[in-house]
Amino acid sequence: AQSVTQLGSHVSVSEGALVLLRCNYSSSVPPYLFWYVQYPNQGLQLLLKYTTGATLVKGINGFEAEFKKSETSFHLTKPSAHMSDAAEYFCAVSVNYGGSQGNLIFGKGTKLSVKP
Amino acid sequence: GAVVSQHPSWVICKSGTSVKIECRSLDFQATTMFWYRQFPKQSLMLMATSNEGSKATYEQGVEKDKFLINHASLTLSTLTVTSAHPEDSSFYICSAEVPGYPFLDTEAFFGQGTRLTVV
């Protein structure tokens, strides 16, 4: 069975500082992993995804994540935080083998705050 | 990217009444749509998978008679919360899947969500 654990329900960084949001997964099959961002009272927007191939995945808004099979991790990073990055971030794993994004297991989310 | 529109964005209803939430794919046909529920400060939980022209598949623990799902066309799925109670108050989000080729390019697009408050 698949599961996702996001370490830290709340992360606070200063503007311009490195953003690191942690995600560990458990999957009985090769995982397909996703990071989504959610702004207040809005739906989710896909930041990036890993299916196969290169383990370092680049997404929108300067975010990237690295799939590390040995560590069962898929941490999200951004070199320099902007105020507009303040939001809730969700890590997810696809239940269906094959990368379908519809049936997803989500982590509990990490709220990112950015201080001026 | 593809656009998924949910309506209404928020709704307040009285306990015992029913509420319908619409999920539309605006610029693509979606044979499969998904309904999620999000409690405050918690993650999204999949409620059901909606397939056009067939019965929805509900996740374990979700009452199918309470949460009626109808996927009558390739661009519209509806979720009706019947006989709503305060504990049904939540944020409901739908997503629609755009089949990709190769399959790994399949992507789901999310609606903006509907905040339901039952008083």
Side-chain angles (χ1 to χ4, degrees):
Chain A
Q2 286 84 357
S3 67
V4 174
T5 302
Q6 287 184 244
L7 300 176
S9 60
H10 192 188
V11 170
S12 182
V13 301
S14 297
E15 191 173 20
L18 171 72
V19 175
L20 171 60
L21 304 181
R22 301 178 185 273
C23 173
N24 287 89
Y25 70 90
S26 172
S27 178
S28 56
V29 298
Y32 295 93
L33 298 159
F34 309 85
W35 274 101
Y36 285 89
V37 60
Q38 184 183 33
Y39 296 99
N41 293 316
Q42 294 187 28
L44 278 70
Q45 181 181 13
L46 179 66
L47 279 177
L48 48 81
K49 63 180 179 181
Y50 168 78
T51 52
T52 61
T55 57
L56 181 61
V57 181
K58 295 185 183 298
I60 62 172
N61 301 339
F63 284 93
E64 60 183 38
E66 185 171 12
F67 170 62
K68 293 186 176 180
K69 184 178 179 180
S70 61
E71 299 178 6
T72 61
S73 69
F74 191 58
H75 301 331
L76 181 71
T77 61
K78 182 174 180 177
S80 176
H82 293 162
M83 296 296 292
S84 59
D85 294 328
E88 187 102 28
Y89 291 81
F90 291 94
C91 181
V93 63
S94 175
V95 172
N96 298 322
Y97 182 75
S100 170
Q101 293 182 37
N103 197 343
L104 298 172
I105 300 294
F106 285 89
K108 291 189 175 182
T110 298
K111 184 176 182 179
L112 175 66
S113 298
V114 181
K115 299 173 292 186
Chain B
V3 178
V4 175
S5 176
Q6 245 180 280
H7 178 81
S9 298
W10 59 270
V11 58
I12 301 174
C13 71
K14 291 184 177 180
S15 186
T17 62
S18 296
V19 175
K20 180 184 286 187
I21 302 170
E22 294 185 346
C23 179
R24 292 181 184 275
S25 56
L26 296 186
D27 50 2
F28 66 99
Q29 293 183 332
T31 55
T32 305
M33 292 184 174
F34 303 87
W35 288 95
Y36 292 85
R37 182 174 182 177
Q38 184 180 28
F39 290 102
K41 299 185 180 181
Q42 294 191 30
S43 188
L44 284 78
M45 298 296 293
L46 180 67
M47 298 175 65
T49 302
S50 169
N51 294 294
E52 187 270 335
S54 64
K55 291 183 179 180
T57 302
Y58 291 82
E59 295 300 302
Q60 191 173 7
V62 178
E63 298 177 60
K64 59 183 66 177
D65 293 331
K66 180 166 187 62
F67 299 99
L68 300 179
I69 292 173
N70 185 6
H71 195 157
S73 76
L74 288 172
T75 60
L76 174 64
S77 176
T78 60
L79 168 67
T80 301
V81 182
T82 63
S83 187
H85 289 108
E87 56 265 33
D88 298 325
S89 299
S90 190
F91 195 56
Y92 293 87
I93 303 177
C94 71
S95 73
E97 194 168 70
V98 179
Y101 184 81
F103 186 59
L104 292 180
D105 284 341
T106 294
E107 185 167 341
F109 293 89
F110 287 79
Q112 75 272 31
T114 297
R115 181 160 302 284
L116 170 63
T117 302
V118 185
V119 298

